[in-house]
Amino acid sequence: HSYELARWGMVRPPKQGFCSNYSHMRRLAPAVYDNYYLRVLLGERVLGLPPGAITSAHLAEAKRVLSSLQLVLLSNDAATPVTLQRATGIANFTACRDTTRPARCAMSDEDSERARRDNAHDLALYDYAERLAAQHVASWRGGEAPLPAVL
């Protein structure tokens, strides 16, 4: 099937996999470590903003973008493969990461707090995406028709 992929999205927990070198990496690529998911979702005009420039207005805009999608799923949710198949016909999806395995490295308490501060809007956006995904999974469990194919 050929589906209009821009009508659905998949999200994974923000900053999953950060390690003990957070402060060093933040200096090398600040935008990647400052609300990266929100930046990518809103595109080029936001992607290039300096660190610390993301605001609650950007968060509200990103929530509107997510709300406009017909399907939002969480990459590691057990319901994602069957929901994705029902909604799009894609039958071979596997989760991005085994969340049952312990992290290979750990961040310091200082870096963890810095990451939470630097990515507060990403964390809020992910919380919103979790709620949307739960609603979407529930509605597809109810038997909604597949997303329309691209002509």
Side-chain angles (χ1 to χ4, degrees), residues 4-79:
E4 186 179 342
L5 296 181
R7 298 179 70 151
W8 64 279
M10 187 151 333
V11 294
R12 66 177 236 188
K15 310 308 175 209
Q16 193 174 53
F18 272 2
C19 290
S20 58
N21 62 352
Y22 177 81
S23 293
H24 173 70
M25 294 305 295
R26 187 180 184 283
R27 283 190 294 278
L28 293 175
V32 173
Y33 292 89
D34 180 309
N35 297 296
Y36 178 75
Y37 294 121
L38 190 143
R39 290 170 179 273
V40 169
L41 186 62
L42 295 182
E44 189 175 334
R45 93 184 143 72
V46 175
L47 191 60
L49 291 175
I54 302 297
T55 67
S56 57
H58 294 111
L59 174 59
E61 184 181 354
K63 286 179 177 181
R64 283 191 297 277
V65 170
L66 279 182
S67 292
S68 73
L69 300 176
Q70 289 182 332
L71 181 62
V72 174
L73 297 171
L74 304 178
S75 65
N76 295 326
D77 189 356

Side-chain angles (χ1 to χ4, degrees), residues 63-143:
K63 286 179 177 181
R64 283 191 297 277
V65 170
L66 279 182
S67 292
S68 73
L69 300 176
Q70 289 182 332
L71 181 62
V72 174
L73 297 171
L74 304 178
S75 65
N76 295 326
D77 189 356
T80 292
V82 69
T83 306
L84 187 60
Q85 183 172 3
R86 285 180 183 158
T88 68
I90 296 172
N92 60 349
F93 175 79
T94 57
C96 293
R97 182 179 302 249
D98 179 2
T99 57
T100 61
R101 289 186 317 180
R104 286 180 279 192
C105 57
M107 290 174 58
S108 69
D109 290 343
E110 181 182 329
D111 278 350
S112 292
E113 180 54 36
R114 177 74 187 259
R116 277 190 292 279
R117 229 180 17 255
D118 289 349
N119 295 286
H121 295 303
D122 262 1
L123 293 170
L125 183 63
Y126 185 78
D127 287 344
Y128 183 75
E130 282 184 311
R131 290 191 300 277
L132 276 178
Q135 292 170 4
H136 292 178
V137 166
S139 69
W140 284 99
R141 207 175 270 142

